[in-house]
């Protein structure tokens, strides 16, 4: 994957009054009201606050769908639709209608299956977009989305809010010396239509990559009904692990093993740290995470599933990426 490039279109947008004038409101649109993130993010942007980094943004429109076949997602749509309406958000009948009313997009659909189709419409409209987790339900779709964004020259990024946990960011900055290894854990409920870790385990996996960075070469995964344990080996010999739990007292955390100390990670600190990064991204047009890192994160999760299917045998990240490339090209050419 080549680094994402700003198109001439978006460069022009950055110079337009929407972005250039501090007093001009940046109109935010939401696609997907089947996740609690949608009303939570809307409140952070629309309700009065004293944070100057969030001033100048307002969620003005939302398209509700969203999953149509995952009950735990689509059953939320009526309630969240009413909630965002109470926060002053107009509900649209289509993504195309929404795109005519907004400057930037939060793609919040909880179900990753329609993300490629939804994202392609956003890219065609030239609107910068944050795609909430998961990027997609399958790895070929993830590659296709990033390639389509690059081809269109439209800035995008995706992240779990756990990436911006202050403890994970401290480890990433090197506050305690170089990270020599890392263990993370999080809840890991499953959805059969998605790669296992994409649905909820991504939170712990995102913390792992925040601390370790890129360079994972192989992954093994051991699984039981109650938990999964994925072990990644990095090119420099470091080892990172993720434990996904489905029973017991669940939480988000772990340890980054640094030169100066074993640094604790977690707990979850809410959505505001992520929203602040999204606001910076919408202002600058510069994704805060390199596309290659997020792609490797999803390759790690995909490799873990393949290892699980094969009795815990090691799976190479490079093989997972190469295998999905052909399918991603087909998805974009159909």
């Amino acid at each position: 994957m080549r680094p994402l490039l700003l198109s001439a279109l978006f460069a022009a947008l950055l110079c337009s009054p929407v972005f250039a004038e501090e007093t001009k409101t940046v109109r935010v649109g939401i696609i997907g009201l089947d996740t609690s993130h949608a009303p939570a993010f809307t409140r952070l942007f629309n309700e009065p606050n004293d944070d100057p980094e969030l001033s100048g943004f307002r969620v003005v429109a939302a398209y509700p769908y969203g999953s149509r076949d995952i009950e735990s997602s689509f059953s939320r749509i009526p309630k969240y639709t009413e909630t965002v309406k109470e926060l002053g958000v107009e509900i649209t009948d289509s993504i195309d209608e929404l795109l005519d009313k907004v400057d930037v997009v939060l793609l919040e659909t909880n179900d990753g299956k329609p993300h490629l189709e939804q994202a392609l419409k956003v890219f065609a409209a030239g609107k910068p977009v944050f795609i909430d987790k998961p990027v997609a339900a399958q790895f070929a779709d993830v590659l296709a989305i990033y390639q389509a964004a690059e081809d269109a020259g439209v800035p995008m990024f995706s992240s779990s809010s756990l990436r911006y946990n202050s403890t994970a960011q401290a480890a990433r900055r090197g506050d305690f010396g170089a990270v020599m290894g890392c263990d993370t854990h999080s809840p890991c409920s499953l959805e059969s239509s998605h790669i296992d870790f994409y649905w909820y385990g991504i939170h712990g996996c995102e913390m792992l990559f925040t601390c370790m960075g890129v360079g994972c070469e192989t992954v093994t995964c051991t699984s039981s009904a109650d938990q999964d344990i994925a072990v990644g080996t990095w090119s420099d010999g470091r080892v990172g692990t993720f434990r996904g739990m489905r029973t017991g007292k669940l939480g988000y955390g772990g340890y980054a093993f640094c030169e100066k100390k074993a640094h604790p990670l977690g707990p979850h600190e809410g959505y505001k740290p992520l929203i602040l990064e999204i606001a910076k991204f919408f202002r600058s047009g510069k994704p805060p995470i390199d596309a290659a890192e997020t792609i490797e994160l999803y390759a790690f999760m995909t490799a873990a599933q393949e290892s699980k299917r094969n009795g815990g045998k090691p799976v190479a990240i490079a093989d997972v990426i190469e295998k999905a490339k052909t399918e991603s090209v087909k998805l974009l050419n159909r």
Side-chain angles (χ1 to χ4, degrees):
M1 286 285 171
R2 302 183 302 276
L4 290 174
L5 300 174
L6 288 177
S7 65
L9 171 63
F10 190 66
L13 271 175
L14 287 176
C15 297
S16 74
V18 169
F19 292 86
E21 296 178 13
E22 289 298 320
T23 57
K24 185 76 172 181
T25 299
V26 178
R27 302 169 300 167
V28 181
I30 291 179
I31 298 173
L33 297 178
D34 60 342
T35 168
S36 61
H37 291 190
F41 290 8
T42 301
R43 287 190 181 94
L44 284 166
F45 277 126
N46 287 18
E47 291 186 340
N49 67 78
D50 57 4
D51 195 321
E53 294 186 72
L54 294 181
S55 66
F57 294 93
R58 185 166 186 82
V59 178
V60 299
Y63 173 67
Y65 297 94
S67 181
R68 295 181 184 271
D69 60 5
I70 298 177
E71 194 277 336
S72 64
S73 292
F74 71 70
S75 62
R76 303 175 179 182
I77 292 175
K79 176 183 177 181
Y80 293 155
T81 298
E82 290 305 311
T83 300
V84 300
K85 284 169 67 176
E86 292 170 2
L87 293 167
V89 178
E90 177 185 354
I91 304 302
T92 67
D93 293 326
S94 68
I95 291 175
D96 290 338
E97 181 186 352
L98 176 133
L99 291 171
D100 286 338
K101 299 175 181 289
V102 303
D103 305 305
V104 296
V105 173
L106 298 169
L107 203 169
E108 292 298 320
T109 303
N110 197 41
D111 182 353
K113 296 194 301 298
H115 277 194
L116 176 57
E117 179 183 358
Q118 293 172 330
L120 288 175
K121 292 182 179 181
V122 179
F123 300 153
K127 310 288 184 177
V129 57
F130 168 77
I131 300 180
D132 212 333
K133 62 84 187 165
V135 174
Q138 303 295 324
F139 188 49
D141 289 55
V142 173
L143 292 183
I145 287 170
Y146 273 95
Q147 187 62 59
E150 181 181 342
D151 291 344
V154 175
M156 68 151 280
F157 87 100
S158 180
S159 177
S160 159
S161 58
L162 271 296
R163 173 175 287 271
Y164 294 103
N165 182 283
S166 62
T167 55
Q169 288 296 310
R172 188 177 180 91
R173 287 193 304 267
D175 288 3
F176 312 104
V179 175
M180 299 181 294
C182 184
D183 298 339
T184 64
H185 62 82
S186 77
C188 191
S189 58
L190 308 179
E191 162 52 46
S192 61
S193 62
H194 289 58
I195 297 293
D196 285 354
F197 289 175
Y198 287 19
W199 189 247
Y200 223 86
I202 184 173
H203 294 304
C205 292
E206 186 104 43
M207 279 196 295
L208 177 65
F209 270 76
T210 301
C211 297
M212 294 286 286
V214 296
C216 185
E217 291 189 328
T218 62
V219 182
T220 62
C221 186
T222 302
S223 180
S224 72
D226 296 336
Q227 61 187 296
D228 298 306
I229 303 174
V231 180
T233 301
W234 267 248
S235 58
D236 55 7
R238 294 180 302 152
V239 174
T241 71
F242 164 66
R243 182 185 295 265
M245 302 296 296
R246 286 181 284 279
T247 59
K249 186 173 177 61
L250 306 179
Y252 306 89
Y255 279 89
F257 300 100
C258 306
E259 289 178 309
K260 299 178 182 178
K261 64 176 287 189
H263 174 55
L265 304 172
H268 187 223
E269 296 172 346
Y271 299 126
K272 188 173 181 180
L274 173 60
I275 287 294
L276 290 173
E277 289 298 322
I278 293 172
K280 292 176 188 176
F281 163 68
F282 284 155
R283 289 193 191 280
S284 69
K286 297 177 181 178
I289 310 165
D290 190 87
E293 181 168 337
T294 303
I295 288 168
E296 188 174 305
L297 163 62
Y298 278 81
F300 172 93
M301 295 188 288
T302 306
Q305 178 140 327
E306 187 170 332
S307 174
K308 191 159 80 169
R309 287 172 177 164
N310 291 293
K313 293 181 180 179
V315 175
I317 291 284
D319 291 345
V320 168
I321 293 175
E322 191 61 33
K323 181 180 177 181
K325 277 183 179 178
T326 300
E327 182 61 28
S328 70
V329 171
K330 292 178 182 178
L331 289 169
L332 292 175
N333 291 336
R334 66 185 179 185

